[in-house]
Amino acid sequence: MRKNSWLQKLLYGVMAVLGAYIMYKSGALLAACNQMQKKTEAGSVQQSAEDTAMRTWSLAYTAAVEGKKLSGWLSTWFEQVVPVLSYVAEEEGQALAQSETEAEKESETAAETQSGTIAEMQAETAAEEETQTAAEDDAIQEVSAGSIFSQALPLLTDFSYLVTNYYTVDEDTAADAELFDAEKLLGMDLSLEQDSSVPQILIYHTHSQEAFADSAEGEVCDTVVGMGEILADELRGYGYNVIHDTGVYDLVDGVLDRSAAYDYAREAIEAILEENPTIEVLIDLHRDGVEGDREDFVTEIDGEAVSRIMFFNGLSRNAGGEALTWLPNEYLTENLAFSLQLQVLANVEYPGFARKIYLQAERYNLHLRARSLLIEAGTQLNTVEEEKNAMAPVANLIRQILE
């Protein structure tokens, strides 16, 4: 056997080299496999490498790891190899851990970026939805009056139904089907292109001395003139340029005299219109004088007691239906359209707020503009507060017709 000792040593040397090579490749493969990666995360790479690889090759590995001194060159070789393998495993584990940490940071950064992007997108979407909702609301508001008219029209084309339910016809005048063509009146465009830079609406009072149940004597703000200023402010709030004329036309030498009030008022209003030709809407605001119970002239809107109103038209026609040629009104059809559109809208928006439209024989200065209104706001039975509460609904109705 001694004769072959050199051959045996050579064989051991070859085996050692092959063993080292195999262990190197095994270590690389192990470091790359999923199982080794999991062990790397758990911090047990070194132990796993030593237990699963090195122990399979030689008992000398055990001696080297456990610090036992074995004789022979193989033991010495393993003492050198084990630390190298451990270092390689540790380096692979650290590299893998660092790679995963960087990946996590990149993922977090991407998530933050995505989160920021999503937040921006959500904000943009919310803004778009708000704009769309506002546009839809505006569209609904724009078509609301027209939609209401369309729904009411089938009934109102019946002249008998129209007159019975929408008008009170004074015995001194007459209404006929040709004049009260509901389809024509409701289909008329009375919109006004808004321009706040110039006067467009004039409010005045032919009977400026009309007051209410609890008006303080001498307090103009408690009279129909005070209500006119509130109505003017409401309309200004909608963007209209409004002139409020507070001229007195029903006092003569300090004495109440309404016999010529419309003549006096006409002269004054014509002068104002000459100075302000951009005015296209005239509102003669009155307070009605009635008989009956107070409860018949009060309604409720949004929980508040409100005086009822009444639109008024002069037909320039007598009881026989003949035209009063000395009181011509080229805007009669437009006047009737204005009051009927407001009445139909009021019946839907504020049920019970508007009494039936009153039709009288004469003209009442409604010939001065196409969009002329005579409004009886409340009665002598209503309180000042009830009158004040009525002005906002009136302004809202007018605004919807003019838009």
Side-chain angles (χ1 to χ4, degrees):
M1 193 68 182
R2 288 185 180 179
K3 292 179 180 181
N4 296 325
S5 61
W6 64 272
L7 184 60
Q8 186 178 17
K9 291 180 180 179
L10 179 60
L11 182 59
Y12 286 160
V14 172
M15 290 175 62
V17 172
L18 289 173
Y21 177 75
I22 291 170
M23 284 187 288
Y24 168 75
K25 295 299 290 184
S26 299
L29 290 172
L30 284 170
C33 72
N34 290 335
Q35 187 67 21
M36 179 59 75
Q37 291 175 1
K38 290 179 181 180
K39 289 184 178 292
T40 299
E41 293 173 1
S44 58
V45 175
Q46 179 177 341
Q47 186 64 44
S48 296
E50 293 171 354
D51 289 347
T52 59
M54 300 304 294
R55 290 181 186 277
T56 62
W57 300 109
S58 173
L59 292 175
Y61 171 83
T62 304
V65 173
E66 295 178 358
K68 294 182 179 179
K69 295 294 182 180
L70 296 179
S71 61
W73 59 273
L74 193 57
S75 174
T76 303
W77 180 81
F78 268 107
E79 288 177 357
Q80 301 301 318
V81 170
V82 169
V84 173
L85 270 177
S86 298
Y87 173 78
V88 171
E90 288 175 2
E91 287 294 311
E92 288 291 332
Q94 290 175 2
L96 182 60
Q98 184 177 1
S99 175
E100 289 179 349
T101 301
E102 291 176 355
E104 287 176 1
K105 288 181 179 178
E106 287 181 6
S107 177
E108 288 176 1
T109 303
E112 289 174 358
T113 303
Q114 185 178 8
S115 176
T117 304
I118 290 173
E120 291 174 1
M121 290 174 64
Q122 288 175 339
E124 289 176 2
T125 302
E128 288 174 2
E129 288 176 352
E130 244 179 66
T131 303
Q132 184 177 356
T133 301
E136 289 172 354
D137 288 344
D138 289 343
I140 290 170
Q141 191 176 64
E142 287 173 4
V143 302
S144 62
S147 177
I148 289 170
F149 299 159
S150 297
Q151 292 174 14
L153 192 57
L155 286 173
L156 301 187
T157 52
D158 181 339
F159 174 69
S160 177
Y161 178 89
L162 174 65
V163 173
T164 301
N165 291 278
Y166 281 79
Y167 294 99
T168 298
V169 184
D170 189 85
E171 61 183 9
D172 292 333
T173 192
D176 60 60
E178 183 180 355
L179 186 59
F180 289 87
D181 181 343
E183 186 173 2
K184 181 178 180 180
L185 297 180
L186 293 181
M188 191 168 290
D189 182 8
L190 296 174
S191 61
L192 177 65
E193 186 175 347
Q194 195 177 81
D195 184 358
S196 60
S197 66
V198 294
Q200 291 186 296
I201 300 175
L202 171 64
I203 298 174
Y204 68 101
H205 312 275
T206 301
H207 298 157
S208 63
Q209 303 306 300
E210 292 172 332
F212 306 99
D214 59 347
S215 295
E217 188 174 353
E219 290 290 337
V220 175
C221 62
D222 283 359
T223 67
V224 71
V225 176
M227 302 309 113
E229 186 58 30
I230 294 173
L231 178 58
D233 283 341
E234 291 286 344
L235 290 169
R236 288 169 187 143
Y238 288 124
Y240 294 103
N241 187 325
V242 183
I243 293 178
H244 180 208
D245 172 45
T246 58
V248 177
Y249 309 113
D250 54 351
L251 286 179
V252 178
D253 296 327
V255 179
L256 184 65
D257 183 356
R258 292 177 177 168
S259 60
Y262 282 96
D263 292 329
Y264 297 145
R266 184 180 64 255
E267 293 174 3
I269 300 310
E270 285 176 336
I272 293 173
L273 293 178
E274 188 175 350
E275 293 176 7
N276 301 277
T278 56
I279 293 175
E280 296 191 52
V281 179
L282 298 183
I283 302 173
D284 187 4
L285 189 64
H286 290 249
R287 180 232 68 197
D288 201 8
V290 300
E291 295 180 0
D293 296 327
R294 191 187 103 79
E295 290 73 18
D296 294 334
F297 303 98
V298 181
T299 187
E300 187 175 294
I301 296 177
D302 296 332
E304 293 184 327
V306 177
S307 63
R308 300 179 69 194
I309 65 167
M310 183 176 73
F311 301 114
F312 187 105
N313 282 109
L315 299 183
S316 294
R317 296 189 178 198
N318 62 24
E322 299 170 336
L324 303 182
T325 55
W326 63 94
L327 294 174
N329 182 358
E330 63 178 312
Y331 299 125
L332 178 58
T333 301
E334 289 85 350
N335 295 164
L336 294 173
F338 203 3
S339 61
L340 181 59
Q341 288 185 20
L342 286 165
Q343 183 78 18
V344 172
L345 188 60
N347 289 350
V348 174
E349 294 275 346
Y350 310 110
F353 178 50
R355 297 154 59 196
K356 292 180 184 180
I357 302 169
Y358 198 87
L359 302 177
Q360 251 286 12
E362 299 189 23
R363 188 173 59 180
Y364 302 99
N365 292 334
L366 296 173
H367 67 296
L368 297 176
R369 283 292 185 272
R371 300 176 187 82
S372 290
L373 282 175
L374 195 159
I375 306 175
E376 298 281 3
T379 72
Q380 82 282 5
L381 303 176
N382 292 108
T383 66
V384 171
E385 188 64 25
E386 290 166 352
E387 288 297 316
K388 290 179 178 179
N389 293 341
M391 293 302 101
V394 170
N396 184 42
L397 292 172
I398 294 172
R399 185 265 309 173
Q400 291 188 64
I401 300 302
L402 296 182
E403 279 187 345

